[in-house]
Amino acid sequence: MARWLGGGNDVTTTNLDLWPIGNCQVSGLVDRSGRLVWACLPRVDGEPVFPSLLSGIEAGDDKATGVWAIELDGVAKTEQSYIRNTPILVTRHEDEHGNAIEVTDFCPRYTSNERIYRPVAFVRMVRPVSGSPRIRVRLRPTRGWGNADVTTTAGSHHIRYVLNDESVRLSTDAPVGYIQEERLFRLEHPLHFFLGPDESFSTALMPACMRMLHDTTGEWQHWVRGLATPYEWQDIVIRSAITLKLCQHEETGAIVAALTTSIPEHADSGRNWDYRYCWIRDAYYTVQALNRLGALDVLESYLAYLRNIVESAKGGHVQPLYGVLGEAKLEERIEDGLVGYRGMGPVRVGNQAYEQIQHDAYGQIILCNVQAFFDHRLFRMAGIEDFEALEAIGDLAWEVHDKPDAGLWELRTRQSVHTYSAAMCWAACDRLANAAHKLGLEERYHFWQDRADQIHATIVEKAWRTETQRLSATFSGDDLDASLIQLLDLRFLSPQDKRYRATLYALETGLRRGTDMLRYDSEDDFGVPHSAFNVCTFWLIEALYLTGRHEDARTLFEEMLKRRTAAGLLSEDIDPTSGELWGNYPQTYSLVGMINCAVLLSKPWQAIR
């Protein structure tokens, strides 16, 4: 996929047109002018060393900090694309006189000495393509969330940047003085930049970078080769799967909801949240989608992460989210050193939702784990001990299924008994019954199935509204909420169930805005929402297809695909009127939606025979 754009410092990123790179340890976002505008160290939830995305100053501005740009003098056109089946980005710049350069950006990730090598490092390689191009390198890291200057020292082939408690080193075969003074110079041969640990480069830089590029390309393409992609929309599915993989902190198996913090849900909304943590809910949807493609490595790593969470859970209680190392305390604060995306602060770090009560997490824990009782492909299948540990989670799901919580949308000032949360508690008990039956524990099977049946009856009784002939999002009101669409995916109701069809009709009528679906249309902590939530539209597409509206589903899916960025991705939210993307990016929910719908709607592989 490629896009030609006007060049120069006047280009602005108004629609989150950003290209992720990463290695499952660190990640970065490159804008459509080829500038690295977001990257955190030493991991995705660390302090940003390149926070230009949230600085409120266009990255091309001479005053911009927190940016790493390799610029062609007089650039007129820019083209960007990924190396096939990888997150390795190639950006080609050309001026009006035919001078051109090509910049390759990636984070090394490959197998070495029988283990994955994924350093806290970024590699940039620039080569002349035609003519006599002149370039300028602007490397301006920051520290303290934009509040403090960075001290530098230099050697003959490196520049050292002193951050807070650590330093990073740029090793390069480019003239160091040109980089320090940001001078224009002729690019007469390929140059290489390795920004990583503050250590001397032990080998020649050029062959080392070339080897890293070769091995990283092979590693990603080998991983993609193992995916069971649908016949149609393969490129879309592969790009979504690669990006979901980038959202996994491979060291522990945690899966973060997005690579960014504080991109507002819509303009000046104040709905700015830090999504660089592992939500039990989001991770469930991620592994569910990747399982459909056969990416079992993500599931296995995440299950190891979950086992640590379950073991540390007090009385079976599970938080809605944790840090990538399993940290339970994620105190939320505002960083004033950055004014926010396009000046729309605040910039939040941490997320107070870790203190909330969200009962759906119990179901998602068990839904993720239950596959391990059945899937013989896994290196470690689940057994009796795992089942007994999960029963503590199931006990709590049973206890709270009809109790108020903050719900999946994490309302901060009110609680209700949410139908979606109750249904997830039902799923916890229902799937525990399945696991017990698989293990031959018939007494436990009947025990959990009885609980599941009781919760099911309670939900149908408490959530159904005779007056409006639909299910309500809460037991106490008559609320429309797109989460009710998920009752089908959970197998709580069947596609033929008249109650489900009536609820789906009400949801589509009340929450659909053209191509897009709102989460809800009632006032919340911040007023009435203005943006649509992309995954809700994908939920609608699945429901339309499964209830027999195949053409409607396909048409809506094709429309949603037009909303993607040049990189082929989506953020969390979208403006139903302008089509502008908002919210943290790239967002796992939205990528999951594209994968699930493509798998569901695609023609079978037999169609090519």
Side-chain angles (χ1 to χ4, degrees):
M1 177 182 297
R3 178 177 294 181
W4 284 93
L5 299 157
N9 291 346
D10 59 331
V11 176
T12 58
T13 303
T14 58
N15 202 25
L16 290 174
D17 208 350
L18 304 166
W19 301 73
I21 59 173
N23 62 3
C24 306
Q25 171 68 35
V26 291
S27 57
L29 295 176
V30 179
D31 73 8
R32 64 188 189 184
S33 292
R35 298 174 291 236
L36 185 61
V37 296
W38 179 257
C40 299
L41 298 180
R43 60 192 199 200
V44 64
D45 61 348
E47 183 178 299
V49 66
F50 296 113
S52 175
L53 182 67
L54 300 183
S55 70
I57 301 175
E58 164 60 30
D61 192 297
D62 287 340
K63 297 179 182 178
T65 58
V67 63
W68 184 4
I70 300 176
E71 300 167 336
L72 173 66
D73 187 30
V75 63
K77 296 179 181 179
T78 296
E79 181 186 34
Q80 291 173 294
S81 63
Y82 284 115
I83 293 178
R84 180 174 173 268
N85 293 351
T86 76
I88 302 171
L89 178 63
V90 178
T91 302
R92 186 178 186 272
H93 300 292
E94 183 178 324
D95 67 18
E96 293 180 348
H97 306 291
N99 300 308
I101 65 170
E102 188 175 87
V103 181
T104 301
D105 294 326
F106 68 101
C107 298
R109 180 183 178 275
Y110 53 88
T111 302
S112 177
N113 298 321
E114 299 184 357
R115 62 181 182 178
I116 289 289
Y117 173 67
R118 49 173 186 270
V120 180
F122 299 87
V123 177
R124 310 196 77 180
M125 301 160 53
V126 56
R127 69 180 185 90
V129 174
S130 63
S132 302
R134 297 201 309 162
I135 68 169
R136 174 184 283 112
V137 179
R138 290 192 299 127
L139 178 50
R140 301 176 177 179
T142 65
R143 64 186 179 94
W145 288 87
N147 280 307
D149 295 329
V150 172
T151 303
T152 65
T153 60
S156 56
H157 297 291
H158 78 271
I159 303 174
R160 180 171 177 262
Y161 300 89
V162 181
L163 305 178
N164 292 333
D165 299 324
E166 58 184 337
S167 301
V168 295
R169 178 186 294 237
L170 176 74
S171 297
T172 182
D173 49 14
V176 169
Y178 289 163
I179 299 171
Q180 288 179 302
E181 297 190 15
E182 299 183 359
R183 287 182 176 270
L184 278 170
F185 64 95
R186 283 175 60 117
L187 180 67
E188 297 185 338
H189 56 80
L191 297 177
H192 306 82
F193 304 84
F194 182 96
L195 184 67
D198 187 15
E199 303 167 355
S200 298
F201 223 80
S202 59
T203 60
L205 185 63
M206 186 274 286
C209 289
M210 294 302 294
R211 186 183 67 253
M212 289 179 189
L213 175 62
H214 175 273
D215 292 350
T216 300
T217 301
E219 189 76 31
W220 282 104
Q221 291 181 344
H222 179 76
W223 184 78
V224 168
R225 189 172 181 270
L227 298 178
T229 59
Y231 170 52
E232 296 183 88
W233 304 296
Q234 288 186 62
D235 289 347
I236 292 163
V237 169
I238 288 170
R239 183 54 50 200
S240 296
I242 288 173
T243 310
L244 287 178
K245 177 71 173 171
L246 290 181
C247 290
Q248 182 168 53
H249 186 69
E250 203 165 42
E251 179 184 356
T252 63
I255 300 169
V256 299
L259 299 180
T260 56
T261 177
S262 302
I263 300 179
E265 293 182 11
H266 60 83
D268 297 310
S269 65
R271 301 170 187 262
N272 301 17
W273 314 114
D274 192 348
Y275 276 9
R276 302 170 302 149
Y277 306 108
C278 183
W279 267 259
I280 300 300
R281 178 187 313 111
D282 300 56
Y284 154 68
Y285 283 112
T286 298
V287 297
Q288 179 195 52
L290 290 177
N291 285 349
R292 289 171 176 166
L293 304 179
L296 293 179
D297 61 318
V298 177
L299 171 66
E300 288 185 309
S301 297
Y302 179 61
L303 288 182
Y305 175 81
L306 277 187
R307 283 192 288 271
N308 285 306
I309 296 297
V310 170
E311 284 183 5
S312 62
K314 297 179 180 179
H317 170 66
V318 177
Q319 294 179 187
L321 68 152
Y322 294 85
V324 298
L325 298 185
E327 301 96 330
K329 196 171 184 179
L330 302 171
E331 289 186 344
E332 186 176 300
R333 68 181 190 274
I334 291 175
E335 288 288 351
D336 295 324
L338 295 168
V339 301
Y341 176 70
R342 292 162 58 184
M344 300 176 189
V347 172
R348 289 189 173 93
V349 182
N351 199 302
Q352 214 64 31
Y354 83 91
E355 294 182 320
Q356 288 188 353
I357 301 299
Q358 297 177 25
H359 297 152
D360 59 308
Y362 305 122
Q364 286 133 7
I365 287 272
I366 291 172
L367 284 165
C368 281
N369 275 274
V370 74
Q371 181 174 339
F373 293 95
F374 296 87
D375 197 333
H376 288 265
R377 297 171 298 171
L378 298 175
F379 288 126
R380 182 192 183 280
M381 292 188 67
I384 297 288
E385 290 183 359
D386 299 288
F387 176 78
E388 291 173 347
L390 290 175
E391 282 197 298
I393 304 296
D395 284 336
L396 201 51
W398 164 253
E399 292 174 14
V400 303
H401 73 269
D402 58 353
K403 303 296 190 297
D405 74 345
L408 82 162
W409 307 127
E410 302 185 338
L411 300 176
R412 294 194 165 203
T413 59
R414 70 187 77 170
Q415 291 197 343
S416 300
V417 181
H418 290 92
T419 303
Y420 175 86
S421 297
M424 275 293 179
C425 292
W426 165 83
C429 298
D430 181 75
R431 299 332 190 251
L432 277 174
N434 293 346
H437 184 67
K438 173 66 176 177
L439 294 171
L441 306 174
E442 291 306 304
E443 185 273 331
R444 302 310 293 166
Y445 162 72
H446 291 293
F447 175 84
W448 287 109
Q449 192 59 60
D450 179 64
R451 282 187 165 182
D453 291 343
Q454 291 185 58
I455 296 175
H456 196 286
T458 297
I459 294 172
V460 170
E461 176 190 353
K462 299 291 187 181
W464 180 254
R465 298 293 172 264
T466 304
E467 300 82 5
T468 53
Q469 288 293 294
R470 68 192 188 200
L471 290 163
S472 169
T474 62
F475 284 11
S476 57
D478 190 5
D479 315 303
L480 290 176
D481 191 305
S483 64
L484 294 173
I485 298 174
Q486 286 288 281
L487 297 179
L488 189 57
D489 185 71
L490 287 175
R491 303 197 303 273
F492 184 87
L493 295 174
S494 73
Q496 292 75 36
D497 193 298
K498 293 181 179 179
R499 294 166 298 186
Y500 183 80
R501 285 177 173 262
T503 302
L504 179 62
Y505 175 80
L507 292 171
E508 187 178 8
T509 302
L511 299 181
R512 184 169 176 176
R513 303 292 186 269
T515 302
D516 306 299
M517 280 287 287
L518 305 180
R519 287 174 289 181
Y520 47 83
D521 62 355
S522 55
E523 187 172 345
D524 61 16
D525 309 327
F526 290 79
V528 177
H530 297 296
S531 56
F533 206 66
N534 286 320
V535 76
C536 295
T537 306
F538 291 118
W539 289 348
L540 175 63
I541 292 167
E542 291 180 88
L544 293 177
Y545 184 86
L546 294 171
T547 54
R549 294 169 58 186
H550 295 179
E551 287 304 315
D552 290 345
R554 194 177 184 91
T555 298
L556 185 53
F557 184 50
E558 294 283 6
E559 285 296 318
M560 281 300 294
L561 296 182
K562 295 176 184 177
R563 307 298 188 91
R564 294 173 299 143
T565 64
L569 306 173
L570 286 168
S571 63
E572 180 184 40
D573 303 275
I574 194 166
D575 186 314
T577 303
S578 68
E580 184 171 4
L581 295 177
W582 292 91
N584 284 302
Y585 173 93
Q587 217 274 348
T588 52
Y589 270 151
S590 301
L591 306 179
V592 163
M594 287 195 284
I595 291 174
N596 287 345
C597 289
V599 170
L600 182 64
L601 302 182
S602 173
K603 298 174 184 176
W605 276 96
Q606 290 84 343
I608 66 174
R609 295 178 182 173

